[in-house]
Amino acid sequence: MTSAAFDLVLRNAVLATASDTYRADLGVRHGRIAQIGLDLPAGRQEIDVGGRVVTPGGIDAHCHLDQPMAPPVRLADDFLTGTRSAACGGTTTIIPFAAQQKGATLQAAIDDYHRRAHGKACVDYGFHLILTDPTPAVLDDELPRLIAAGYTSFKLYMTYESLRLSDRQILDVLDAVRRHGGMPMIHAENADCIAWLTERLEAAGRLAPRFHGWSRPALVEREGAHRAIAMAELVDVPVLLVHISGGQAVDQIREARAAGLNINAETCPQYLFLTAEDLGIDDSYHGARCVCSPPPRDAASQQQIWQGLADGLFQVFSSDHSPFNLHGEDGKTPGGAEVAFRHIPNGIPGIETRMPLLYSEGVLGGRISLNKFVELTSTGPARAYGLYPRKGTLAVGADADLVVWDERDFVLDNAHLHHAVDYTPYAGRRLRAWPGLTLLRGQVVWDGQTFTGTPGGGQFLPRGLPSLFPIGARAPGHRTWLQAALAS
């Protein structure tokens, strides 16, 4: 092997995957990991990381960028600012959402999102599909074609009037998934319970941001999770329940797992680092900054989420980055006015802080292992969404997406961040780590001080089928409820 065999060599690294941690050098050629070993030959470029931890680049599999909104509201981040922010926080792959408009095709949504990302995305990306109108033509013709083309995950909403599907529609989508593969993601909350509570709170004049939490108690997530699990069991297909916020939904997932069902789960930083008190302890508008759904819960729920991260309940840790400015007519004060809680744009920023928060409080705080951190932030999402092993691990042949971690104490401020949002809900929190380097396919896109990536340098990623679990029957000879009934 000649001295020019590698484009880049990382030396003296502590490499961490979802299963192993070891000291080695890592050689990169043509954007991929070419060799891992001791005392590798010199490369054209050399970076001595001095014994620091190196993990695979993060995969944020749940984020919203440049998603169409009803005026005057709009998301603060487009594909340029959002992916720039992602790179500076150690994330090298994102999967945002292409939302079908009712009466339109899925292909129209995909075409629109390719236009939005083109020339702007600074990290690699794929698209989840949001199904709002699962007609027979969509399910029988369009969806199979798009799955084969690499759009292999789809989000189904049980809430929000413009997005929600009926149980019957969800069953139809799950049946299509059983036949063609893919990963259905379900936002599980009971919409009728939320609407009933909201109307009664409004009638009583309870309009402040803190009542957003009161309108979406844990039981509406528990019921939604239970119903989603029951439908998945009926059709006999795996599902992934997104942004799980607390113990009642956790209990539903544990019970389903104990029964042998393929129920997977995701959670987010807001359920570890925020509580209902962040929505407000009085009727001031300050709590609007933390309005998201499901809402943050309490300290006991935080502990249950931490436990689920440690013991394998969760496979995916995402940001659910949904960035609205706190000030101005297009954000949390629509039209420039303070509004009742139901009208506050729903979501918080977090694409850049996701990995540093979990590394600081999870790994360095002794709550989870370094390997579990890699599993949750990179390997699990790669397996869930058909990107493994190209993404999500440190292995020969994988993309050289790498994060070199600096372990240092500092107090987070929004001025540190690279999104286009005017606040972070985590301001004032003391962190213990931040990426010192982020590399996308062997190129440094964050040098610890400055974003060095290129707008348009991110590549679109057609994805395969999920590899977290086998698709279809749980055991040889297993039949769905319907198959058993038809055979009787």
Side-chain angles (χ1 to χ4, degrees), residues 171-172 175 178-179 231 233-236 478-488:
L171 286 168
D172 285 340
D175 184 54
R178 181 178 171 83
R179 287 181 281 120
M231 288 188 280
E233 181 180 13
L234 181 64
V235 180
D236 187 33
H478 178 81
R479 296 182 295 182
T480 68
W481 187 271
L482 178 60
Q483 287 170 332
L486 293 174
S488 66

Side-chain angles (χ1 to χ4, degrees), residues 1 43 59 86 111 172 204 227 240 352 358-360 365 406 419 477:
M1 185 172 291
I59 299 172
D111 292 343
D172 285 340
R227 189 155 34 101
L240 192 147
E352 189 169 349
L358 190 63
Y359 194 103
S360 295
D406 283 349
H419 55 201

Side-chain angles (χ1 to χ4, degrees), residues 21-318:
T21 304
Y22 53 93
R23 289 184 175 271
D25 301 336
L26 185 149
V28 177
R29 187 188 309 121
H30 305 312
R32 298 205 170 192
I33 298 173
Q35 189 171 344
I36 297 172
L38 299 175
D39 301 320
L40 294 187
R44 293 187 184 92
Q45 181 183 3
E46 298 260 337
I47 300 176
D48 189 332
V49 302
R52 287 179 290 175
V53 168
V54 177
T55 64
I59 299 172
D60 194 342
H62 190 151
C63 55
H64 302 265
L65 298 177
D66 203 13
Q67 194 166 311
M69 301 277 165
V73 173
R74 69 177 181 88
L75 289 176
D77 278 322
D78 62 10
F79 276 84
L80 173 57
T81 62
T83 58
R84 177 185 68 194
S85 185
C88 298
T91 290
T92 53
T93 299
I94 62 165
I95 315 179
F97 295 89
Q100 178 195 22
Q101 302 299 308
K102 288 188 183 294
T105 64
L106 291 171
Q107 187 65 56
I110 290 169
D111 292 343
D112 178 46
Y113 269 78
H114 276 294
R115 286 192 294 270
R116 292 169 186 267
H118 181 71
K120 292 185 176 182
C122 307
V123 301
D124 291 350
Y125 61 96
F127 298 136
H128 301 298
L129 306 178
I130 294 179
L131 272 68
T132 64
D133 196 7
T135 63
V138 166
L139 296 180
D140 296 337
D141 301 325
E142 196 175 18
L143 194 61
R145 174 174 55 81
L146 292 174
I147 290 171
Y151 304 91
T152 57
S153 51
F154 0 93
K155 189 174 183 182
L156 316 177
Y157 283 88
M158 289 180 159
T159 187
Y160 305 130
E161 282 306 311
S162 63
L163 298 171
R164 65 181 287 200
L165 302 182
S166 68
D167 288 0
R168 172 63 181 270
Q169 289 174 312
I170 292 173
L171 286 168
D172 285 340
V173 175
L174 295 183
D175 184 54
V177 170
R178 181 178 171 83
R179 287 181 281 120
H180 303 292
M183 172 63 82
M185 314 156 65
I186 299 182
H187 178 140
E189 290 183 291
N190 186 303
D192 289 329
C193 288
I194 293 166
W196 187 86
L197 285 167
T198 297
E199 290 169 4
R200 277 150 182 78
L201 288 166
E202 289 178 335
R206 304 299 194 263
L207 305 178
R210 67 189 179 97
F211 291 103
H212 171 75
W214 286 99
S215 74
R216 304 177 101 98
L219 69 89
V220 307
E221 185 183 31
R222 179 190 72 202
E223 193 281 334
H226 181 86
R227 189 155 34 101
I229 291 166
M231 288 188 280
E233 181 180 13
L234 181 64
V235 180
D236 187 33
V237 67
V239 298
L240 192 147
L241 302 183
V242 296
H243 46 51
I244 296 298
S245 71
Q248 294 191 31
V250 164
D251 290 343
Q252 295 294 316
I253 297 165
R254 290 196 189 280
E255 182 179 341
R257 293 267 188 85
L261 302 181
N262 280 323
I263 306 300
N264 303 276
E266 168 205 86
T267 195
C268 309
Q270 49 267 42
Y271 308 119
L272 297 175
F273 301 103
L274 302 177
T275 68
E277 289 190 358
D278 290 293
L279 291 169
I281 57 176
D282 56 26
D283 287 351
S284 75
Y285 204 69
H286 183 71
R289 65 210 309 272
C290 294
V291 167
C292 60
S293 295
R297 304 298 183 188
D298 56 17
S301 290
Q302 287 180 333
Q303 294 309 308
Q304 288 170 305
I305 297 297
W306 276 116
Q307 181 60 43
L309 290 172
D311 68 20
L313 180 85
F314 294 106
Q315 290 70 52
V316 179
F317 186 75
S318 302

Side-chain angles (χ1 to χ4, degrees), residues 366-400:
R367 294 176 178 271
I368 61 172
S369 69
L370 178 58
N371 308 109
K372 180 61 71 174
F373 169 83
V374 173
E375 179 184 340
L376 290 163
T377 60
S378 189
T379 310
R383 288 187 179 278
Y385 299 116
L387 289 169
Y388 189 86
R390 176 179 176 181
K391 303 288 188 180
T393 192
L394 303 179
V396 172
D399 283 357

